[in-house]
Amino acid sequence: MGSSSPLRIIEDALEPSEIQQIILLFQKHSWKITESYLSQFNNDGMSKLVRGYLEDRLVSLLCYSNYGTFSWIGYSFTDPNFRKHGLNGILKRVTLSNAPNLPTYLVCDDHLVDHNTKLGFQTLGTLIEFSFIGSGDHKLKDSSCSAQQIFDFD
């Protein structure tokens, strides 16, 4: 990665020029996502995609949603070519430092439990199954995830 360019974090509404980079990053993680699904992040008022760029390349993103009494972090991805540099951890810390003081939950795969614990999340339990209910514009590589960890940020 090198140290020539710091991570530039964008929390604003999505620009049309970003859509294809975002779709490609989701695809690198075996997710199918559509432009129409991404449009919700500009329109629903409670969810936003926080993006991390090195120069003009999207390298990391996460979704932050505020539900009024709690918040949720999901879609936490880093380009495989830019992993192991703490980029997604930076996104999580910046996002939470700019967010209201609410209980914040995230769901992650087992191999990310240690990483998220180091960021201050505590394990609350394990999900046996986690499925999305929605418009059908987004799909996991399988219809559900198993053995996921639920975390609360302290």
Side-chain angles (χ1 to χ4, degrees):
M1 180 175 88
S3 59
S4 62
S5 179
L7 186 68
R8 181 172 49 98
I9 298 172
I10 301 174
E11 297 184 85
D12 300 331
L14 300 177
E15 296 293 330
S17 60
E18 295 181 282
I19 300 297
Q20 285 308 309
Q21 284 193 73
I22 292 168
I23 289 171
L24 288 172
L25 186 55
F26 272 84
Q27 288 173 348
K28 288 181 181 181
H29 291 83
S30 300
W31 284 65
K32 178 185 177 211
I33 209 89
T34 64
E35 238 177 276
S36 63
Y37 179 74
L38 290 175
S39 69
Q40 77 169 328
F41 295 103
N42 285 351
N43 299 321
D44 77 0
M46 71 179 181
S47 298
K48 63 182 175 180
L49 280 181
V50 181
R51 288 95 64 209
Y53 285 85
L54 291 174
E55 297 180 8
D56 59 353
R57 181 173 178 174
L58 176 66
V59 295
S60 193
L61 68 78
L62 62 80
C63 173
Y64 174 81
S65 299
N66 180 333
Y67 293 99
T69 57
F70 71 95
S71 59
W72 177 75
I73 292 177
Y75 304 136
S76 185
F77 299 136
T78 298
D79 184 310
N81 296 321
F82 291 88
R83 288 187 182 150
K84 305 291 184 197
H85 297 287
L87 301 176
N88 205 264
I90 292 169
L91 283 186
K92 287 175 184 162
R93 284 191 291 276
V94 169
T95 300
L96 292 173
S97 71
N98 294 336
N101 188 18
L102 296 172
T104 300
Y105 302 93
L106 67 86
V107 176
C108 72
D109 291 326
D110 290 338
H111 71 277
L112 294 170
V113 170
D114 288 341
H115 166 73
N116 288 306
T117 301
K118 290 176 187 172
L119 294 175
F121 286 89
Q122 299 173 357
T123 302
L124 297 177
T126 300
L127 291 175
I128 302 305
E129 185 174 294
F130 181 72
S131 297
F132 287 99
I133 300 171
S135 66
D137 282 345
H138 59 293
K139 296 178 181 168
L140 288 167
K141 55 185 166 185
D142 299 313
S143 62
S144 64
C145 298
S146 60
Q148 303 293 304
Q149 300 294 320
I150 306 174
F151 286 84
D152 182 15
F153 185 74
D154 185 22

